[in-house]
Amino acid sequence: MRTTTTYRRPAVADQLAALTVRNLRTSARVPQLLMFSLTMPMAMLVLFSQVFRSVAAGPGFPGGVSYIDFLTPAMLAVSTVMAGTNAGVSAAIDHTNGLHDRFAALPMRASLQGMARTINEAVFTLARAALLGIAAVALGFEFHGTAGDAIAAVVVLVVLAGAMSALFGLIGDRLRRPDVVQFAGMMVMMPLMFISSAFAPIETMPGWMQAMATVNPVAHATDALRGHVLGTATAGDTVAALVAAIALWAMVIAVPVLARRIRPAHAR
């Protein structure tokens, strides 16, 4: 009597879990990524808090706020942008070693790779936030918000991490060379970081930079995080940060979809 074996396609949740575990293991095995993602933000926090603390004495700086309390939430946002470049490099590495083509030949949704990268970045974002928090407390940081502020800050941070992972992941998928992705990532990362209120109040910047900051999701995330840390955040601050990050995330997701629709028409 002959028996037949029926192949069952793994559930989407199982595929996503496998990809996520694979990304986490890969990230943990690359010292450079761990150094850049986890320890570099702490080094920047220590250096910036000492070198630029005189900013607190300048005009336009919030009264009664120490520079370490002003800087720490900004470093949470900035380090999330910096770490987002890892998603782009990882995507490019998958292309160069042929793993992306292997995944494309498997019976699974193409979007799962991006989702796994996003979950990976979210996990590292939470770990990085914990380490930054410990370093900041050692430098005199105080959290002035409530438990609700802490929860809202985590939500803002994770959503920003998702948007950055999608953005730099798209760059990695398009350029497909780790060295080029690193360079391009720097060109994108720098304006996101510095055209914001991360290191100095936006009011002290030139008018054109203030205008660009109004559409910068990192600027909105920084303002919301800082407000939650200082206990002065409003619902509008949180909503603005989430809307800005989600809008960027949606735009990034839409790019491959539009490209697939335009390419056949162009070919004809």
Side-chain angles (χ1 to χ4, degrees):
M1 181 177 179
R2 298 179 60 185
T3 60
T4 58
T5 302
T6 303
Y7 172 76
R8 291 186 178 182
R9 179 176 177 175
V12 173
D14 294 335
Q15 293 175 337
L16 178 59
L19 288 173
T20 300
V21 170
R22 176 254 170 191
N23 281 353
L24 289 171
R25 286 178 176 174
T26 301
S27 298
R29 291 172 180 171
V30 182
Q32 298 90 333
L33 292 182
L34 288 178
M35 178 71 69
F36 189 75
S37 179
L38 298 179
T39 61
M40 181 64 73
M42 289 192 295
M44 291 180 62
L45 178 69
V46 174
L47 291 174
F48 279 46
S49 65
Q50 303 305 308
V51 174
F52 296 112
R53 60 182 178 179
S54 60
V55 172
F61 195 85
V65 177
S66 66
Y67 190 66
I68 188 63
D69 289 354
F70 180 86
L71 177 65
T72 299
M75 284 306 305
L76 289 172
V78 166
S79 62
T80 300
V81 180
M82 293 172 55
T85 59
N86 293 341
V89 174
S90 297
I93 291 174
D94 286 347
H95 281 282
T96 57
N97 62 19
L99 189 59
H100 186 275
D101 293 334
R102 172 60 178 163
F103 285 155
L106 295 177
M108 71 177 187
R109 299 178 184 176
S111 60
L112 291 182
Q113 297 175 56
M115 293 173 64
R117 286 198 299 261
T118 298
I119 296 173
N120 181 77
E121 288 305 310
V123 171
F124 274 88
T125 295
L126 295 176
R128 186 169 52 251
L131 293 174
L132 276 174
I134 294 172
V137 169
L139 294 170
F141 169 77
E142 294 183 18
F143 184 78
H144 302 277
T146 64
D149 284 312
I151 294 173
V154 170
V155 172
V156 169
L157 199 59
V158 170
V159 173
L160 179 65
M164 292 300 107
S165 175
L167 173 61
F168 290 105
L170 176 64
I171 294 174
D173 285 332
R174 288 290 178 266
L175 299 182
R176 302 188 177 189
R177 284 181 53 187
D179 55 339
V180 177
V181 171
Q182 285 182 321
F183 177 78
M186 287 291 292
M187 295 298 100
V188 175
M189 181 177 69
M190 296 299 281
L192 287 173
M193 288 170 50
F194 291 104
I195 305 180
S196 70
S197 58
F199 306 111
I202 291 179
E203 292 76 14
T204 63
M205 300 178 182
W208 64 271
M209 293 187 85
Q210 295 185 32
M212 292 182 66
T214 60
V215 295
N216 183 358
V218 180
H220 289 289
T222 300
D223 290 340
L225 291 170
R226 184 171 288 136
H228 289 300
V229 164
L230 299 178
T232 60
T234 65
D237 295 331
T238 305
V239 170
L242 294 176
V243 168
I246 292 173
L248 174 62
W249 200 341
M251 289 174 59
V252 171
I253 292 175
V255 169
V257 176
L258 293 175
R260 285 194 296 268
R261 291 180 179 180
I262 294 174
R263 192 177 298 115
H266 178 73
R268 291 193 296 269

